[in-house]
Amino acid sequence: MATYDFDLITIGAGSGGVRATRLAGGYGARTAIVEQSRVGGTCVMRGCVPKKLLIYGAHVAEDIADAAGYGWTIEDARFNWPALITAKNRELERLEAIYERILRENGVRLLRGSGRLVDPHTVAVNGETYTAERILIACGGWPATPAIPGIEHVISSNEALDLMSLPKRLVIVGGGYIGVEFAGIFNALGVDVTMVIRAGAVLRGFDEDVRDCVTHDLEKRGVRMVRESEVRSIEKGADAYTLRIAGSDTLLETDLVMYATGRAPNTGSLGLAAVGVAVKESGAIVVDEWNRSSVESVFALGDCTDRVQLTPVAITEGRAFAETFFHDNPMKVDYQAIPSAVFSQPPVGTVGLSETEARRHGAVDVYVSRFKPLKHTLSGRDETTMVKMVVDAASQRVLGCHMVGPDAPEIVQGLAIALKCGATKADFDATIGIHPTAAEEFVTLRDKRPDHPARAAE
């Protein structure tokens, strides 16, 4: 019987890797985790958490503006961006210390450095090798940028979180959730923001009504949209950058360029090919329903598998892995009806199928409501909330719920439970709402949106 240094070595101390490894350690396994950067990974250190802290900071600008409608006079309000960044960094240090303590308390050894597979049971870290019965890869993703002239001048969301001064002008290339969220942050803080997007609206892949609503809200707030466009090249001048738009003579001048054109699995330096681990063209590791790769002793989870790039999904996959292989409790992840959010201003909450996706499976009933939030009847802010429900026409089961408006993520989290339970439209109709709230709109939707051939043919 082979003897190994550890029962489990994990490469990557992000949310999924930490969850899997500390649970395995808690179940008595000899465990180690490899991390070349900060413990906590993308979400805690370079993504969800710091980004949302900046969103909270930016939203105060709207609160101050809205206060006048409620009788408040706020004079001499000033914003200090470096102070916000410093406070954010202090919170990240606190969280990192918590993560490190959790690992210690569960007997996990932290190996600092870059991990690389030597063989199916061996990992090299900073010139030292360690063996394990199982190896788990949870190395996450990394911002991806195209190979165009001048791309070396751009920043990604990583650097945007650590800027110590605000630019006067910013071009964001990419209309996904990262681009949309940072556009909202910088726009609210007075930066002149332009977005260059390949499609006609932001948030490709989301429900069309959500996309239209968010795009319209961004423009109402002063974000300029350059639609159906790509950047051909970027040049650095004495005082600004210039971007040339492909297929035209259009030049955009700006003080800073941020690319938010997606993320790629961070697997390039792991030595996967030499060990025989199968990967997709994107670099994503191919795994089965048990998170096992093409090599029996090597597993992977989270963003590096490119299944669903959401932190709670990676955490759930980490738990399933630990339960299955270290607690004699086989567990698989259900990827249906996963709720998600875009922390735009106002935010998006969504769960289940979009209207377009649902129509691929058959006839649907669609309910949509748009209204001014009660708060803005006095604040005077020009903002509309949108709620949408997609229902299977035959069974009347609710297939999708979508919302754009204040507290949308908080509201949709609860609706996700209803969808998991197979709730029907009649179940929603029979539920008494809480008044006055925006959430009650989901239980008072009565009028179906008239169908038309264009939608039915999608």
Side-chain angles (χ1 to χ4, degrees):
M1 182 176 180
T3 301
Y4 302 105
D5 299 326
F6 298 98
D7 300 311
L8 171 67
I9 294 178
T10 299
I11 300 177
S15 298
V18 167
R19 173 60 64 92
T21 313
R22 67 100 166 169
L23 285 178
Y27 293 143
R30 297 170 302 141
T31 56
I33 195 164
V34 182
E35 179 54 58
Q36 64 177 337
S37 184
R38 302 184 70 177
V39 175
T42 296
C43 178
V44 178
M45 295 298 152
R46 297 179 296 278
C48 327
V49 173
K51 180 178 59 182
K52 186 134 189 221
L53 292 174
L54 298 192
I55 288 168
Y56 282 136
H59 202 276
V60 174
E62 289 191 355
D63 293 336
I64 292 172
D66 292 344
Y70 287 89
W72 288 87
T73 299
I74 301 176
E75 297 178 348
D76 198 29
R78 296 186 302 275
F79 175 67
N80 186 327
W81 171 263
L84 175 58
I85 296 299
T86 299
K88 179 265 296 180
N89 290 341
R90 187 164 54 246
E91 173 62 10
L92 298 192
E93 290 170 2
R94 185 186 73 85
L95 292 175
E96 185 174 21
I98 290 173
Y99 268 70
E100 291 178 352
R101 179 173 179 175
I102 289 172
L103 292 174
R104 289 194 302 271
E105 290 176 345
N106 287 277
V108 180
R109 181 177 173 185
L110 177 58
L111 303 175
R112 293 284 188 179
S114 178
R116 178 178 57 83
L117 273 65
V118 177
D119 63 45
H121 292 281
T122 306
V123 174
V125 184
N126 289 347
E128 299 289 333
T129 57
Y130 305 88
T131 60
E133 182 179 4
R134 294 184 179 92
I135 296 171
L136 175 64
I137 301 173
C139 57
W142 201 253
T145 52
I148 62 170
I151 197 66
E152 69 274 10
H153 300 307
V154 312
I155 67 169
S156 70
S157 57
N158 292 349
E159 294 79 27
L161 291 166
D162 290 325
L163 293 174
M164 290 310 295
S165 62
L166 283 175
K168 291 183 178 180
R169 300 168 297 174
L170 171 66
V171 170
I172 297 176
V173 182
Y177 73 93
I178 294 175
V180 166
E181 289 171 340
F182 276 97
I185 292 170
F186 288 113
N187 170 258
L189 297 177
V191 178
D192 181 0
V193 178
T194 298
M195 297 189 73
V196 179
I197 60 176
R198 296 178 63 180
V202 298
L203 298 180
R204 185 195 297 270
F206 283 74
D207 185 88
E208 291 299 321
D209 283 295
V210 169
R211 298 182 68 195
D212 291 343
C213 189
V214 173
T215 304
H216 185 56
D217 280 337
L218 284 167
E219 290 184 304
K220 280 198 299 185
R221 283 169 165 73
V223 175
R224 177 188 176 194
M225 290 286 171
V226 181
R227 293 176 167 83
E228 298 178 345
S229 300
E230 294 182 75
V231 176
R232 175 183 294 169
S233 64
I234 303 166
E235 291 188 1
K236 182 179 181 180
D239 301 313
Y241 297 97
T242 56
L243 289 72
R244 183 175 296 279
I245 302 302
S248 74
D249 294 327
T250 301
L251 289 177
L252 298 178
E253 187 174 280
T254 185
D255 302 311
L256 190 65
V257 184
M258 174 182 165
Y259 260 69
T261 49
R263 300 174 66 85
N266 194 22
T267 58
S269 62
L270 296 181
L272 301 179
V275 178
V277 176
V279 299
K280 300 177 183 178
E281 185 177 349
S282 65
I285 300 171
V286 179
V287 294
D288 64 13
E289 58 191 349
W290 301 107
N291 295 297
R292 192 189 300 271
S293 77
S294 57
V295 175
E296 186 176 4
S297 60
V298 179
F299 300 77
L301 56 77
D303 289 0
C304 67
T305 65
D306 200 19
R307 287 176 292 190
V308 180
Q309 293 189 17
L310 292 171
T311 296
V313 173
I315 291 172
T316 303
E317 290 171 346
R319 180 192 173 203
F321 171 80
E323 291 289 333
T324 299
F325 296 103
F326 296 98
H327 199 218
D328 195 25
N329 179 30
M331 183 180 295
K332 298 178 183 178
V333 177
D334 179 5
Y335 293 95
Q336 301 300 311
I338 296 172
S340 64
V342 181
F343 294 102
S344 47
Q345 299 189 38
V348 175
T350 180
V351 61
L353 301 180
S354 68
E355 180 180 347
T356 300
E357 291 170 332
R359 288 185 182 279
R360 297 191 186 115
H361 300 283
V364 296
D365 296 334
V366 177
Y367 300 82
V368 180
S369 176
R370 294 178 174 85
F371 55 92
K372 174 174 281 194
L374 179 61
K375 175 183 178 181
H376 296 320
T377 59
L378 295 189
S379 76
R381 181 172 296 279
D382 182 15
E383 183 177 292
T384 301
T385 289
M386 188 278 292
V387 300
K388 180 174 183 177
M389 182 181 292
V390 182
V391 181
D392 178 73
S395 68
Q396 286 297 289
R397 180 173 177 171
V398 179
L399 301 177
C401 291
H402 312 278
M403 180 176 180
V404 181
D407 300 320
E410 308 290 344
I411 292 167
V412 170
Q413 176 68 81
L415 299 181
I417 301 172
L419 265 66
K420 278 291 187 184
C421 293
T424 65
K425 182 64 167 63
D427 293 324
F428 274 73
D429 293 343
T431 302
I432 296 174
I434 300 173
H435 185 75
T437 66
E440 69 178 317
E441 199 74 13
F442 279 103
V443 299
T444 59
L445 293 167
R446 295 291 180 266
D447 299 323
K448 288 188 289 186
R449 184 169 67 183
D451 213 343
H452 58 74
R455 286 200 192 97
E458 287 179 347

